Amino acid sequence: MVAAAFAAAGSAVAWRPVWVVRFPGAILSAIGVLSLLALAPLVAWDPPGLDLQIDPSTEPLLPRGDPAQEVYHQAVRDFGDDEVFVIAMQSEDVFRAETLARLRRVTDRIARFPEVRKVQSLTDVVAFRYDAGNDWIEVASFLDEIPTDPSELEATRQRALADPLYQKVLISEDGRTAAINVTFRKMTDQQFIDARMDARIRAVLDAETTSEVRFYLAGRSHIKDRVYRLMVRDMRRLIPIALGVVALGLWLVFGSWRAVVLPMAVILISALWTFGAMAYLERPLTVLTTLLAPMLAAIGSAYGIHMVSRYQEEATRGRDAASAALHCLRQMRLPVLLAGLTTMIGFGALLITDVPAVLEVGAFSVLGVASITLLSLTMLPAALAISPLRSEGEAAAGSLSSRIDAGLDRALAGLCRMATRRATPVLVVSVALVAVCAAAIPRIVIDTDYLSFFDESSEIRREFEAVNRLLAGAVP
C-alpha cells in the first residue's frame, strides 16, 4: 500500500509536473499532514519524550529460523542463563581478612538489589568436601566466617585453589583475583537498561575501590548497557553536528537561505517519515539501523543540492519563481527519479537476507530514499514556486559563494585539463589501483566479536581483556 502510494505520486509528478507548481499550497499541506501522522507514533506522553526504542543486543544479527537458536534456548532451559555479569576483584592477595571482608560486602550489597537473582563469590558459595572418616560428602558454605588467624587464612587459600570447580571461575590461579558472578531475574534488555543496573553496580564497586584493590566488569549485559549509552550519545551529538556542517557548507557554496533550508527540510522530513514508520511498526533501533539518519542526510542533501542548483540556473534567465521552479522540475524529474529508483534497488537487495537487522536496514532505507525522492520532486519545487527569487541578504552573501564557486571551477577545470592531457598515465594508475584493491579483497575479515564495536583503548575493552586474562572470561 505504501509502495503503491509512492509509485502513484512519483508517476503523477513525472507525468504532470505543472501540478506541483500550480497547487503548491495543497502539496505542502499534504506533506504537513503526513508529517504529523508520522510524528504521532514517535511521541510518548507519559512520560513525555520519544517513543522510539533502542535494541543494543546481538539477537537481531542472528538469522531468522536458524535451528541453532532453538538448541541454544534449550541449553539455557536445561543449564541456566549464560548471560552472567562478571566482576573481577584484583588485589595483592585475596586471602587476607580485610580483602575477604571487602569481597563479602560487595557480594551482599549487590545481592540486595531486587533485580538480582543470585550472586556467587567465595564468600557465598557452596562447597563439597568428602569426609573420609564418616564416608560421606559434606555440603556446606565455603566460608561461614572470615578467619583472621594467618594459618586459617592459608588453609582457606589451599582449599580454594585446590578445588577444580573454583579455579578461574571464583578465584584466579595465583590467588590475587576473585570473581563475583551476578545473574539477574528474567527481564528484557530495555528493563535492564531502564533499571540502571550497570551504573548501580559500578557505584558499589567504586565505593570499595582503593589503591590496592580494583574491579573489572565484563559480561554481555554490561556490553548491551554500554552499547545503548554510546548509541544514544552518538545520535545526540553526531547527527546535529553532521547537519550543522552540511548547512554551513550549503550556505558557503550557494549563499542562499533556500539552498540551506530546503535540502535540510528534505532530510528532516524523510527521516521523520522513516523513523515514524519504525515506531508505528514497533521496530527498535539496532546497531545497524542507527546508520539510517546519517545515510538519509547524505542522500537527501545531494538530491536537494541538485534541485536548488538547477533552480538558481533557471532563475538567472529572467523567469519568475513559479516558472523557474517548473523548468527546474521538468529538467530534473527524470534524473532524480532514476537516481532514487536505482538507489532503492540497491538497498532492496538487502531484503533477501535472513538476518532481521540487515533486512530492516534494507526496508527502511528503501522507505527513506523513496521519501527523499518524492519530497525532492514535490515539496522542494512547490516551496521554490512560492518563494521570492532572491532577497537582498542572499545577494550580499552571494559574493562569498561566488568566490568559492569560482575557486572550485578553477580547481576542477585544472584537474580536467590534467586528466585529458595525461590520459594514458591516469588510466594506468587507475587500473593499478583497482588491481591492488581487488587483490586486498580476500584479506577482509568477518568479525563477529561484539567487543570490536569499541576502540582497543576503551575502558570496556581493557576490562574484558583483564577478566579474560585473570579468570575464565565472561562471554562463552
Side-chain angles (χ1 to χ4, degrees):
M1 180 177 170
V2 175
F6 274 93
S11 300
V13 172
W15 182 47
R16 286 288 188 270
V18 68
W19 290 350
V20 176
V21 177
R22 187 175 297 173
F23 307 106
I27 296 290
L28 296 176
S29 297
I31 291 173
V33 170
L34 289 175
S35 300
L36 289 175
L37 291 175
L39 182 63
L42 282 170
V43 176
W45 299 105
D46 187 22
L50 288 178
D51 198 23
L52 189 61
Q53 301 298 315
I54 296 178
D55 183 2
S57 69
T58 57
E59 279 72 12
L61 302 176
L62 300 176
R64 184 183 291 108
D66 188 344
Q69 291 191 49
E70 180 53 35
V71 175
Y72 169 76
H73 292 313
Q74 185 60 48
V76 170
R77 289 192 292 268
D78 291 341
F79 301 104
D81 201 340
D82 66 339
E83 291 204 24
V84 180
F85 195 101
V86 179
I87 304 168
M89 187 184 79
Q90 187 180 31
S91 64
E92 288 297 320
D93 185 2
V94 170
F95 298 97
R96 293 177 179 173
E98 62 272 19
T99 308
L100 289 173
R102 191 182 306 275
L103 179 63
R104 171 159 285 175
R105 286 197 302 271
V106 171
T107 301
D108 292 345
R109 287 189 61 186
I110 294 175
R112 284 196 291 268
F113 290 144
E115 298 85 356
V116 172
R117 181 169 64 88
K118 184 175 68 173
V119 182
Q120 189 178 65
S121 71
L122 286 177
T123 64
D124 186 15
V125 66
V126 174
F128 301 88
R129 288 187 294 176
Y130 175 64
D131 187 336
N134 294 309
D135 192 26
W136 64 37
I137 296 176
E138 180 183 294
V139 181
S141 296
F142 174 78
L143 198 63
D144 286 324
E145 298 293 334
I146 296 176
T148 56
D149 183 82
S151 61
E152 293 182 6
L153 287 169
E154 182 59 28
T156 302
R157 172 199 294 274
Q158 297 302 324
R159 285 173 51 206
L161 297 181
D163 195 322
L165 297 179
Y166 297 170
Q167 291 177 10
K168 301 199 77 171
V169 177
L170 294 177
I171 188 68
S172 62
E173 295 175 339
D174 60 3
R176 299 177 60 186
T177 304
I180 306 169
N181 300 320
V182 185
T183 55
F184 300 96
R185 300 186 185 279
K186 193 64 178 177
M187 53 182 164
T188 65
D189 294 333
Q190 191 60 49
Q191 289 172 332
F192 179 87
I193 291 167
D194 292 341
R196 299 183 65 254
M197 288 306 307
D198 200 84
R200 289 157 64 191
I201 291 176
R202 176 70 75 176
V204 172
L205 303 182
D206 288 343
E208 296 289 347
T209 300
T210 67
S211 58
E212 297 181 353
V213 178
R214 66 165 303 174
F215 296 89
Y216 302 98
L217 292 181
R220 273 190 288 192
S221 299
H222 179 53
I223 296 181
K224 291 174 186 178
D225 184 90
R226 293 297 298 275
V227 169
Y228 175 87
R229 308 294 174 191
L230 290 175
M231 289 168 65
V232 172
R233 185 202 67 182
D234 288 347
M235 286 190 293
R236 287 176 174 172
R237 292 182 181 179
L238 299 182
I239 293 176
I241 291 173
L243 293 176
V245 171
V246 169
L248 178 61
L250 291 172
W251 176 258
L252 292 176
V253 172
F254 287 101
S256 167
W257 64 266
R258 63 169 61 85
V260 176
V261 173
L262 295 180
M264 296 296 289
V266 169
I267 294 171
L268 295 174
I269 295 176
S270 62
L272 173 62
W273 289 3
T274 303
F275 291 115
M278 293 183 68
Y280 176 76
L281 297 173
E282 298 182 346
R283 303 309 306 163
L285 283 173
T286 65
V287 173
L288 297 185
T289 50
T290 52
L291 302 175
L292 284 170
M295 183 271 293
L296 294 177
I299 296 176
S301 61
Y303 285 37
I305 287 169
H306 288 305
M307 292 292 293
V308 172
S309 178
R310 184 67 190 186
Y311 170 82
Q312 290 189 341
E313 290 181 13
E314 297 294 339
T316 58
R317 297 175 182 175
R319 297 187 173 97
D320 57 40
S323 178
L326 179 58
H327 281 79
C328 168
L329 184 55
R330 283 174 172 166
Q331 294 294 325
M332 296 301 298
R333 56 182 170 173
L334 183 59
V336 170
L337 280 172
L338 287 178
L341 181 61
T342 53
T343 306
M344 284 186 280
I345 291 172
F347 283 116
L350 300 177
L351 299 178
I352 63 174
T353 182
D354 291 328
V355 180
V358 177
L359 185 145
E360 289 180 4
V361 168
F364 289 113
S365 295
V366 169
L367 175 60
V369 173
S371 302
I372 288 171
T373 305
L374 184 62
L375 291 168
S376 298
L377 295 176
T378 55
M379 183 198 72
L380 207 151
L384 290 172
I386 60 175
S387 63
L389 281 175
R390 196 170 180 82
S391 65
E392 294 182 2
E394 288 179 315
S399 60
L400 175 60
S401 66
S402 297
R403 291 195 295 271
I404 295 175
D405 188 40
L408 286 173
D409 283 345
R410 288 192 297 271
L412 294 174
L415 180 62
C416 182
R417 287 193 297 270
M418 184 275 295
T420 52
R421 291 173 183 173
R422 296 178 173 82
T424 300
V426 169
L427 290 174
V428 170
V429 171
S430 300
V431 171
L433 288 174
V434 170
V436 170
C437 293
I441 287 176
R443 298 174 61 87
I444 292 176
V445 176
I446 298 176
D447 188 0
T448 60
D449 183 6
Y450 215 42
L451 283 174
S452 63
F453 293 167
F454 301 91
D455 187 81
E456 291 183 359
S457 61
S458 65
E459 181 185 25
I460 190 169
R461 283 284 291 271
R462 289 186 281 107
E463 289 194 342
F464 260 79
E465 290 167 1
V467 172
N468 289 336
R469 182 181 70 254
L470 300 170
L471 299 168
V475 180

